[in-house]
Amino acid sequence: MKRFWAWGALIFGLLYFLLPLVGMTNFSLKMRRGSYSFDAYAVVLSDPRFQETFTYSVVMALFTIAFGVLLVVPTAYWIRLKLPGLRPYVEFVTLLPLVIPAIVIVFGYIRLYNTSSWLPLTGSATGTNILLMFGYATLALPYMYRSVDTGLRAIDIATLTEAAQSLGAGWTTILAKIILPNVLVAVLSGAFLTFAIVIGEFTMAALLNRPAFGPYMQLLGANRAYEPAALAVIAFGITWGCLGLIQLVSRFQKGAQSAA
């Protein structure tokens, strides 16, 4: 009986998530009357605004990932090595973006960094891009920190650090050549999640008036019929592609460890 309910719950969950996706995909293929076609996808992919906004979001995602790695890896490493008593407090801070709405964060940014403030980041496109990157990094912080912290928990960082120092390695060398390679899968997991968040984020990009992919999806959805469904399928595929890459990288590392 337990197995029956378990399979029933699994089938219900699959149908709950898959049926809307199937319906949306089916609708996106009906732009040409009387037959299935990829016309909606062709229109979306050939739209210069799609290419511009998607490229912008990809570039912002790469910068956000780089900034997140440079911020989180040394912080998580130093807390585990030297300041374990601060770990609960740091974890609490990293969880705040999950409970504070993005609109609150971005309004705080605008209030602090507007053109009349001591650091007028919103006064230029470059400054606004930097501010948006900080916002994206804040939204991704819970996932990036959790991934890196889990990776650090799986290795003996104290022994590795002592061994590296005994050979004359400095802190930069230890982080770049010893710690980072050992938590690379964890970092990549956080990076793929960050990429998925940045690609679909709407609130911050819209309120900061940046040409990102999220506002473009909203604008297209308000003015077209079939193209938004095609765009949603594309965005869904990107998100699941990131999750698939996480699993692939994890299995690759497990295979490499087993072979070693």
Side-chain angles (χ1 to χ4, degrees):
M1 182 60 68
K2 291 183 178 180
R3 180 176 297 181
F4 171 79
W5 285 111
W7 277 105
L10 176 62
I11 293 173
F12 175 78
L14 290 175
L15 292 176
Y16 181 81
F17 286 104
L18 290 179
L19 285 180
L21 178 62
V22 171
M24 180 176 62
T25 304
N26 180 66
F27 180 76
S28 70
L29 297 173
K30 291 185 174 181
M31 187 174 183
R32 186 182 303 174
R33 292 184 179 275
S35 64
Y36 288 101
S37 70
F38 291 96
D39 291 354
Y41 294 87
V43 171
V44 169
L45 294 175
S46 61
D47 187 352
R49 291 179 299 171
F50 168 83
Q51 300 167 10
E52 176 189 355
T53 57
F54 186 73
T55 301
Y56 176 85
S57 290
V58 168
V59 172
M60 289 298 297
L62 295 178
F63 276 106
T64 303
I65 290 169
F67 175 75
V69 171
L70 292 175
L71 175 66
V72 170
V73 174
T75 302
Y77 165 72
W78 193 254
I79 289 173
R80 277 203 162 269
L81 183 66
K82 296 291 187 180
L83 303 169
L86 292 180
R87 188 163 173 265
Y89 304 101
V90 175
E91 288 185 346
F92 174 77
V93 171
T94 59
L95 289 175
L96 287 178
L98 295 178
V99 297
I100 300 177
I103 192 170
V104 174
I105 297 174
V106 71
F107 268 121
Y109 284 166
I110 294 173
R111 181 69 179 86
L112 285 173
Y113 303 110
N114 58 38
T115 53
S116 60
S117 68
W118 63 278
L119 187 60
L121 290 178
T122 59
S124 65
T126 301
T128 308
N129 289 336
I130 293 174
L131 192 60
L132 182 59
M133 183 194 71
F134 289 158
Y136 285 157
T138 301
L139 294 180
L141 186 59
Y143 311 100
M144 179 65 79
Y145 183 84
R146 279 290 182 282
S147 298
V148 173
D149 187 62
T150 301
L152 290 172
R153 190 184 308 169
I155 62 176
D156 189 350
I157 61 173
T159 302
L160 291 173
T161 301
E162 290 175 3
Q165 287 178 329
S166 67
L167 296 173
W171 290 112
T172 303
T173 302
I174 292 172
L175 279 170
K177 295 186 177 181
I178 297 175
I179 300 301
L180 186 59
N182 278 281
V183 296
L184 184 59
V185 172
V187 170
L188 289 176
S189 297
F192 289 135
L193 290 172
T194 300
F195 184 86
I197 290 171
V198 172
I199 289 298
E201 203 282 327
F202 166 77
T203 305
M204 289 189 171
L207 292 177
L208 289 174
N209 195 27
R210 303 313 299 148
F213 190 55
Y216 169 74
M217 288 194 293
Q218 187 276 333
L219 179 64
L220 194 68
N223 296 282
R224 301 291 181 87
Y226 300 97
E227 291 88 338
L231 193 59
V233 173
I234 293 172
F236 184 84
I238 293 171
T239 302
W240 277 92
C242 291
L243 296 177
L245 287 174
I246 293 174
Q247 296 297 321
L248 182 63
V249 171
S250 300
R251 291 187 179 183
F252 178 78
Q253 189 197 42
K254 291 179 180 177
Q257 290 175 347
S258 301

